Amino acid sequence: MKNPSRRRFLAVTCATAAAVSAGPTFAKVGSSRTLKMRNLHTGEKLEAAYWSNGNYSNGGLKQFNKLLRDHRANEVTRMDPKLFDIVYKLKEKFNYTGTIEIISGYRSPKTNAKLRAAGRGVAKRSYHTRGMALDIRMPGVPLSKLRQAALNLKAGGVGYYPKSNFVHVDTGPVRRW
């Protein structure tokens, strides 16, 4: 028969390691994760939980999908939920309670092609067309600090656009520009 105190020690050690590896932001599995966003093109605002009771919230995700739609084509797609995790971690890093401004969310392939043809500096295979990218800013948070925090997450691509006053984050491979 195995030593019960040893099994308990191993169980506690494994649970602690799992909680630490998840990071401080997500240590509480059942907690709610709420974001407050404003789409600068439509003026629409939304404050909703995209995560609650240990799972992504379908209702919250649908609301954010609509907010982040391609406003030119009025087309909605399913945004990658991990994208909201990135934004949430950034919000938590700065203890940010304001409204996150969205410069660009989803872009349909047709809209993307039009913007690219117009010379707007748009990537041919943009992660925006896959629902995997956001261009954001947090008023009051220096853009350079937002960029550095996003880079530190190592959660995907990070683009820095100081002249246009936004940071691009996506859930693609880790890279920077």
Side-chain angles (χ1 to χ4, degrees), residues 27 60-62 78 84 91 120 122 125 141 152 154 161 169 176:
L61 290 174
K62 283 181 182 179
R78 180 187 173 276
F84 301 117
K91 176 188 99 138
R120 302 292 292 273
V122 172
R125 293 188 183 100
V141 175
N152 291 343
K154 296 181 173 135
Y161 299 90
V169 293
R176 63 165 56 185

Side-chain angles (χ1 to χ4, degrees), residues 66-164:
K66 183 179 179 196
L67 178 77
L68 301 171
R69 72 189 177 280
D70 178 340
H71 67 278
R72 293 171 184 89
N74 199 30
E75 202 173 302
V76 178
T77 196
R78 180 187 173 276
M79 300 298 288
D80 184 348
K82 293 176 187 166
L83 194 54
F84 301 117
D85 290 334
I86 291 170
V87 176
Y88 186 83
K89 287 178 184 180
L90 292 171
K91 176 188 99 138
E92 291 293 294
K93 163 75 177 159
F94 295 106
N95 295 313
Y96 189 74
T97 59
T99 302
I100 298 159
E101 295 182 344
I102 305 299
I103 290 81
S104 184
Y106 173 65
R107 287 196 302 256
S108 69
K110 188 175 179 178
T111 295
N112 200 69
K114 283 181 183 178
L115 294 173
R116 186 169 165 74
R120 302 292 292 273
V122 172
K124 186 175 185 177
R125 293 188 183 100
S126 171
Y127 281 93
H128 286 280
T129 65
R130 303 179 211 178
M132 296 171 62
L134 289 174
D135 296 338
I136 64 170
R137 65 177 165 240
M138 295 179 179
V141 175
L143 204 61
S144 61
K145 290 188 181 214
L146 182 60
R147 171 187 179 253
Q148 190 57 54
L151 289 169
N152 291 343
L153 291 176
K154 296 181 173 135
V158 178
Y160 185 53
Y161 299 90
K163 288 181 183 173
S164 300

Side-chain angles (χ1 to χ4, degrees), residues 38-50:
R38 180 167 66 103
N39 183 321
L40 295 181
H41 292 285
T42 65
E44 296 167 308
K45 294 179 184 179
L46 174 63
E47 182 172 4
Y50 74 93

Side-chain angles (χ1 to χ4, degrees), residues 9-75:
F9 171 77
L10 289 173
V12 169
T13 302
C14 288
T16 302
V20 168
S21 68
T25 303
F26 299 117
K28 293 186 255 176
V29 175
S31 65
S32 178
R33 300 179 202 158
T34 298
L35 292 171
K36 189 175 3 174
M37 295 181 170
R38 180 167 66 103
N39 183 321
L40 295 181
H41 292 285
T42 65
E44 296 167 308
K45 294 179 184 179
L46 174 63
E47 182 172 4
Y50 74 93
W51 171 278
S52 61
N53 300 320
N55 294 299
Y56 289 106
S57 166
N58 285 332
L61 290 174
K62 283 181 182 179
Q63 290 178 71
F64 281 111
N65 290 341
K66 183 179 179 196
L67 178 77
L68 301 171
R69 72 189 177 280
D70 178 340
H71 67 278
R72 293 171 184 89
N74 199 30
E75 202 173 302

